[in-house]
Amino acid sequence: QVQLVESGGGLVRAGGSLRLSCAASGRAFSSYTMGWFRQAPGKEREFVAAISRGGGTADYADSVKGRFTISRDNAKNTVYLQMNSLKPEDTAVYYCAADHGWINVAPRAYDYWGQGTQVTVSS
């Protein structure tokens, strides 16, 4: 089992940047595929990005490609989401999640979730 705690959210103007972190505790962080998802009010939770166990493969939602970068440091049990050129439509609660399997865009594939961190982008 793994426990996940996100941090780094906040209020930023459009065009700005934020870096989210997700610290994991528990067993074998490097054995999990890690993902970032987000949920805006009144909307379903949606895939943002995911990264493979070793960090060699990543996948992104079309809406964030070229602006967001996912990375991980297995020595620090942490996964990151660097968000640049933020837009008001990026406003949401951002969650990290851990999955025993391969990269998957479906929230139901992920076994463990953090509590989320709010990102608000003003226009």
Side-chain angles (χ1 to χ4, degrees):
Q1 191 169 355
V2 62
Q3 293 79 42
L4 305 171
V5 179
E6 301 96 335
S7 61
L11 173 64
V12 64
R13 289 190 174 183
S17 298
L18 282 174
R19 188 194 196 201
L20 305 184
S21 299
C22 174
S25 60
R27 299 178 58 184
F29 174 74
S30 61
S31 69
Y32 294 96
T33 292
M34 298 300 297
W36 285 97
F37 291 79
R38 65 187 182 187
Q39 188 165 17
K43 295 188 177 181
E44 293 186 353
R45 192 167 297 190
E46 65 173 0
F47 172 77
V48 175
I51 190 167
S52 61
R53 298 176 185 84
T57 301
D59 192 19
Y60 297 90
D62 288 343
S63 59
V64 307
K65 279 181 181 176
R67 300 188 298 122
F68 291 11
T69 302
I70 189 172
S71 61
R72 68 189 296 165
D73 186 337
N74 285 344
K76 295 183 178 179
N77 285 6
T78 303
V79 61
Y80 305 96
L81 186 67
Q82 178 67 44
M83 305 186 295
N84 299 328
S85 302
L86 282 161
K87 305 175 181 180
E89 51 264 44
D90 294 319
T91 296
V93 177
Y94 283 70
Y95 299 89
C96 72
D99 174 19
H100 284 291
W102 187 238
I103 288 178
N104 198 309
V105 304
R108 65 179 180 275
Y110 289 76
D111 303 296
Y112 305 103
W113 292 84
Q115 84 290 348
T117 185
Q118 177 70 47
V119 171
T120 303
V121 184
S122 64
S123 57

